[in-house]
Amino acid sequence: MSSVPTYTLNNGVKIPAIGLGGAAGRDEKEKEKARVWFLTALQAGYRHIDVAQIYGTEEALGKAIRESGVPREEIFITTKLPPSHHTRVAESFQESLDNLGLDYVDLYLIHFPFGLAYEKGVNFPTNPDGTPKVVDSPTFVETWADVEKLLDTGKVRAIGVSNFSVKNLEILLKSAKVVPTANQVELHPYLAQSDLVEYSKSKGIVTTAYTPTGYQTVLSDPTIAELADKYGVSPAQIVLAWHVARGVVAVPKSSNKERQKQNIALPTLEPSDVARISSLDKGERVCNKPDADGKFFGITKEQLGW
Ligand SMILES: NC(=O)c1ccc[n+]([C@@H]2O[C@H](COP(=O)([O-])OP(=O)(O)OC[C@H]3O[C@@H](n4cnc5c(N)ncnc54)[C@H](OP(=O)(O)O)[C@@H]3O)[C@@H](O)[C@H]2O)c1
């Protein structure tokens, strides 16, 4: 069992390969409870935590950090720009810092490549017919230019994107002054995203896996179960070890002390086992799936490059 490795981003900033996922669902009480499991994670040795303004857990994370006594500079914190805040990047970034009660974050991501209309206090504004209020402007290229400007504030150490495909990274890279350091996407053995991982590596972009366990859909796969027996670990440890073997960052969420500990104690997989797990790929999304109309957040699969 080895400790969590650290990768170096394209600007020299170091990121621990495993971070704690910080989404707590939509229930307000669950968001408040997050303070407790952020704290147990920090006590267990996590030094990377992934939140987003739309998760509503930034405040809980700030409290847990202060309560933990772990020096701020030892912790890598990611947060994200809400899809409905693309017209107000600087303001939204400052709101996140205020929620966290911190004076800088380590990584700031555009949460989603496409924007929604801004409505104060509403994460996902909808039209009267219930469809998302998608807006054409600004484009993600324009939003990225505003995110780049945040680097001048000295309040963010690295910037990146989330939910970008090869298609949209290619568009972004044509005009970006700063190459994103990271791209956070759904990634697990049933959605191995090998083309995206390889393309990103070739451009110096680290890929971060969200929904890295693939939930029970992946954890109950017979090959994963067989490898868990072989290495004497849990199925989740096998899947997380596979991410690390591929040079991918993973942000598993667990509110359970024991599973938090498991997720940062990973075996080193033999290359043939890494390849076996990669071959389970079926291009299957288990978290962010398109609706029956083939759209996600009102955006077509073609626009998303899915
Ligand atoms: N950028 C984006 O658009 C985006 C989208 C989705 C998620 N994310 C990020 O990714 C993080 C994780 O995503 P996720 O919650 O969808 O997926 P996940 O971390 O793969 O799965 C979380 C689920 O797995 C369980 N679990 C965790 N460790 C386990 C273990 N060792 N054995 C068995 N079950 C285990 C957790 O239960 P317990 O808590 O009970 O342990 C929880 O039900 C989020 O918190 C968020 O930070 C980002």
Side-chain angles (χ1 to χ4, degrees):
M1 221 64 83
S2 55
S3 56
V4 173
T6 291
Y7 306 147
T8 304
L9 300 173
N10 64 25
N11 64 351
V13 169
K14 295 195 181 325
I15 182 170
I18 301 289
L20 182 82
R26 296 200 172 186
D27 187 318
E28 287 307 316
K29 283 198 185 119
E30 288 304 315
K31 291 177 191 174
E32 279 167 36
K33 276 193 218 155
R35 182 189 58 77
V36 177
W37 46 272
F38 287 145
L39 184 61
T40 56
L42 288 165
Q43 288 164 342
Y46 281 77
R47 290 298 178 264
H48 170 184
I49 299 188
D50 180 83
V51 291
Q53 193 176 125
I54 62 170
Y55 302 161
T57 53
E58 289 173 320
E59 208 179 325
L61 175 57
K63 284 183 187 161
I65 291 171
R66 287 183 287 282
E67 209 173 323
S68 72
V70 178
R72 163 68 185 96
E73 61 278 12
E74 286 182 16
I75 311 167
F76 189 100
I77 294 166
T78 302
T79 195
K80 313 185 190 91
L81 175 76
S84 61
H85 288 198
H86 288 199
T87 51
R88 52 191 307 280
V89 171
E91 293 90 330
S92 187
F93 175 68
Q94 188 57 48
E95 284 162 8
S96 285
L97 289 179
D98 293 345
N99 292 339
L100 286 157
L102 299 175
D103 51 15
Y104 74 94
V105 294
D106 296 275
L107 177 61
Y108 192 62
L109 306 179
I110 297 183
H111 204 146
F112 193 64
F114 294 91
L116 300 174
Y118 175 64
E119 282 176 23
K120 198 169 188 292
V122 182
N123 278 338
F124 303 106
T126 50
N127 295 306
D129 67 358
T131 55
K133 269 195 188 171
V134 178
V135 290
D136 296 333
S137 172
T139 63
F140 61 71
V141 166
E142 292 163 335
T143 303
W144 181 249
D146 283 346
V147 171
E148 288 176 334
K149 288 182 200 144
L150 296 177
L151 288 169
D152 300 333
T153 66
K155 294 179 180 176
V156 59
R157 298 175 70 220
I159 54 175
V161 295
S162 179
N163 292 299
F164 274 58
S165 55
V166 171
K167 173 181 169 170
N168 286 332
L169 282 177
E170 276 177 343
I171 295 170
L172 184 66
L173 291 179
K174 274 190 198 138
S175 57
K177 287 197 200 123
V178 177
V179 175
T181 58
N183 179 27
Q184 181 177 123
V185 294
E186 181 173 340
L187 175 50
H188 43 72
Y190 282 6
L191 184 70
Q193 304 254 36
S194 299
D195 291 351
L196 179 60
V197 172
E198 286 314 312
Y199 173 82
S200 300
K201 259 186 203 163
S202 76
K203 301 293 176 189
I205 302 168
V206 163
T207 303
T208 298
Y210 75 68
T211 312
T213 65
Y215 305 146
Q216 283 309 315
T217 312
V218 170
L219 297 180
S220 59
D221 182 279
T223 301
I224 302 295
E226 185 193 318
L227 291 171
D229 278 351
K230 173 175 167 181
Y231 288 88
V233 296
S234 72
Q237 285 167 297
I238 292 295
V239 173
L240 295 172
W242 170 77
H243 288 297
V244 174
R246 298 173 92 210
V248 163
V249 172
V251 288
K253 174 262 165 188
S254 180
S255 48
N256 173 282
K257 252 188 195 178
E258 295 314 313
R259 288 190 284 278
Q260 286 179 346
K261 284 182 193 156
Q262 263 187 30
N263 295 351
I264 50 170
L266 305 177
T268 302
L269 303 179
E270 291 166 21
S272 59
D273 290 332
V274 175
R276 254 186 101 190
I277 300 170
S278 300
S279 73
L280 299 175
D281 184 25
K282 346 177 168 185
E284 182 183 337
R285 290 174 194 276
V286 299
C287 177
N288 284 332
K289 302 178 199 175
D291 304 333
D293 62 358
K295 289 182 181 171
F296 180 69
F297 263 125
I299 307 297
T300 64
K301 285 196 276 185
E302 194 189 13
Q303 287 171 299
L304 289 162
W306 284 4

